Amino acid sequence: MTGGADAYYGRPVIKPPVWKVPDVPLYLYLGGVAGASSTMALLADLTGRDRLACAGRLAAAVGATASVGALVHDLHRPLRFLNMLRVIKPTSPLSVGSWILAPFSGLAGAAAASQLTGLLPWAGRASATAAGVIAPAMTTYTAVLLADTAVPGWHEVYRELPFVFAGSAVSSAGAVGMLAAPQESAPARRMAVGGAVLELLAARRMDRNAGMVGEVYRQGRAGAVLRAARVLTGVGLGAALLAGRSRVARVAAGVCLNAAAAATRYGIFEGGRESARDPRYTVVPQRPA
Amino acid sequence: MARNRLSGPLADPAGEVGYPADHPERVGFFTDTSICIGCKACEVACKEWNLLPEDGLDFTGMSYDNTEDLSGTTWRHVAFVEQERPTVDLGMPAMGRDSDQVRWLMSSDVCKHCTHAACLDVCPTGALIRTEYGTVLVQDEVCNGCGYCVPACPYGVIDIRPDTGGAAKCTLCQERLGAGSMPACATACPTESIQYGPLDELRARAERRVSELHEQGVTSARLYGHDPDDGVGGAGAFFLLLDEPEVYGLPPDPVVTTRDLPSMWWHAAGAALTAAAMIAGSFLGRKR
Ligand code: SF4
Ligand code: SF4
């Protein structure tokens, strides 16, 4: 038993999250891509890159809608999902998050609808602008959502986690831009590279500062998934640097960076669950020195 | 007042959320495990009163504990700890090996009705509320089963009920309190190991009980969850234990996770601005 002689039959002290796979990891990943894509679309629009703006708007709408879908699907009483908007509670990251996600997905959806139908272009543009301004919050509130729990693997890294998520969101949105708007992909490539670097640096810092619980991100399934994510990020990063000249590199970067972003979310989710299952991670740090 | 919204001592949690000054006194449980006999009358009384379904009849191999854990359908849980340890030889028949004897530790666990309750803080729907008695209650008709409260609780108490999909835990028998009765478990407890009453009174009684036990030579007796300065601002249900908390499956020094929430939001804001700056910076070059 890893719980040490003193734990109660090796049973968990806290309850492991009841959130489901793939719902919640998907929700985390999609929210990130959607957010960063929306800001990318806004800036592309402002700088006259129409194709990139269009790609960003569509990615934002699809990502946000699917993210809402995953969240609702995860509820144990999905018909009551609107209760999420019953109150505004600053102490609840899920309440704050719902109040970010709901307007964002509405605006992103409206922008994409206008883009696709050509109807009400001014309203579409206004929606896209508003969405692009809210969007950066979409890339990091989910980190607070995980960290604001008793789960040692998530709570202990609350300083670094938002930066990991932000980096991963920016690089995956850049990757989407590279895939969808090759002719205007220079800014998207820079996003892919910068985001990947931020993600790798933040993940490294997280690993250093996590203390004892950091081992859940190095061992077992979570460890394997996160190692794969790091390799994918590295390959994607390298490919993005060459993507200006090579189509193969561009596609490889696009695919690898998105796979990496999804794997990062899943690995962190899984590592947190493991840290909740093993009583050691709860008990040992709390024991009087 | 706002200073201690998220953590730290808070004299009147019910008043803090806006109940008028004449709200009832804060009530809670003092569970004195030194006189628990492990009869599980509390578990049964709780299930009966609250109409909770059974969880299956399984052998767990955990001594006499076949209940395993608090859950959405189990709101009292009696832990059984068997410890083999050398004892003074009294020439009496003993269980276990010659020089060792089995010591039994039994403790009836329950929701702590925290002063700063993480479950309540993180609930996005407002389903979890502070009652006029200062306790923490789930309003089942509001809960949408998001499950956020489950990993937020530092004691692993609240859980989603498989049969309803809603979160559930001890209500401190809210409707019995309203009728002037004691909670079912405290009423059923034959040894008064579970004591119910105004929290201040219970805290004073617990201090006396600990000194009494220390005088009798039971130096391992200690209180758990009684201190308003602890990580959850003091528990509404606290305990007298005879060993370290983790031996009973309790966290040694839990802290309400929302204590760090302001810092979490600052870090998230910093990261969001970093992301925004990074995207904007990517558009600075002129190349298409
Ligand atoms: S013990 Fe857990 S479920 Fe009970 S009030 Fe505290 S945080 Fe909520
Ligand atoms: S499961 Fe119900 S009680 Fe728990 S946080 Fe969600 S809405 Fe609130």
Side-chain angles (χ1 to χ4, degrees), chain B residues 98-145:
Chain B
D98 286 351
S99 57
D100 290 353
Q101 254 190 332
V102 171
R103 169 169 94 149
W104 292 88
L105 297 176
M106 288 153 287
S107 169
S108 177
D109 195 13
V110 70
C111 169
K112 316 300 178 290
H113 294 280
C114 308
T115 302
H116 296 288
C119 62
L120 192 165
D121 285 344
V122 304
C123 172
T125 63
L128 273 154
I129 55 161
R130 180 78 54 188
T131 71
E132 64 274 34
Y133 302 101
T135 59
V136 176
L137 187 72
V138 193
Q139 307 175 100
D140 183 58
E141 59 285 4
V142 176
C143 169
N144 66 9

Side-chain angles (χ1 to χ4, degrees), chain B residues 228-240:
Chain B
D229 285 310
D230 71 15
V232 300
F238 65 99
F239 300 79
L240 184 152

